[in-house]
Amino acid sequence: DVQLQASGGGLVQAGGSLRLSCAASGFTFDDYAIAWFRQAPGKEREGVSCISNMDGITYYADSVKGRFTISSDNAKNTVYLQMNSLKPEDTAVYYCAADPRHYYCTDYGPLRPGSWGQGTQVTVSS
């Protein structure tokens, strides 16, 4: 079974940084794409970033470009989301997701994934 464990959320002041981790197990990590989604209260879940372990393709939502960086450590089966210059509007529950489709990380954002992990809360105070 695909298992995804997200961690690293917390409370931070505006302008601060956090690093989220998504530890994966139960599947061949190199054959999957991993994405981060977020959902703020009263809003739809949105794709924030995505990385394909198959070809290295990455995606960032316009709202996080230049501030967030996604990376993959294949030796640890873990994907990271480094979040810098955080804003109050980044406050949300962040979820990681996995999918084996080679076209999963599209130019318009990650598709609805095959597997979800649990969320981690990120709260940015002003």
Side-chain angles (χ1 to χ4, degrees):
D1 288 350
V2 171
Q3 295 190 9
L4 302 166
Q5 181 75 36
S7 62
L11 174 63
V12 64
Q13 289 188 334
S17 298
L18 284 173
R19 188 178 78 158
L20 304 184
S21 299
C22 177
S25 61
F27 60 97
T28 304
F29 190 71
D30 291 358
D31 293 341
Y32 272 66
I34 306 293
W36 287 98
F37 290 76
R38 67 186 181 187
Q39 188 166 20
K43 294 189 177 181
E44 291 188 356
R45 193 171 295 190
E46 63 170 339
V48 173
S49 186
C50 186
I51 185 166
S52 171
N53 288 325
M54 294 166 274
D55 54 20
I57 287 176
T58 59
Y59 163 86
Y60 296 96
D62 286 344
S63 58
V64 306
K65 275 181 184 175
R67 300 188 298 122
F68 290 11
T69 302
I70 193 168
S71 61
S72 183
D73 186 337
N74 288 32
K76 295 183 178 180
N77 282 10
T78 299
V79 167
Y80 302 99
L81 186 68
Q82 178 67 43
M83 306 187 297
N84 299 330
S85 302
L86 283 163
K87 305 175 181 180
E89 50 263 44
D90 294 318
T91 295
V93 178
Y94 284 69
Y95 300 88
C96 60
D99 196 282
R101 290 171 286 182
H102 71 275
Y103 54 85
Y104 177 67
C105 298
T106 76
D107 291 342
Y108 307 100
L111 303 174
R112 183 175 177 80
S115 302
W116 290 101
Q118 94 293 356
T120 185
Q121 176 71 48
V122 172
T123 303
V124 184
S125 63
S126 57

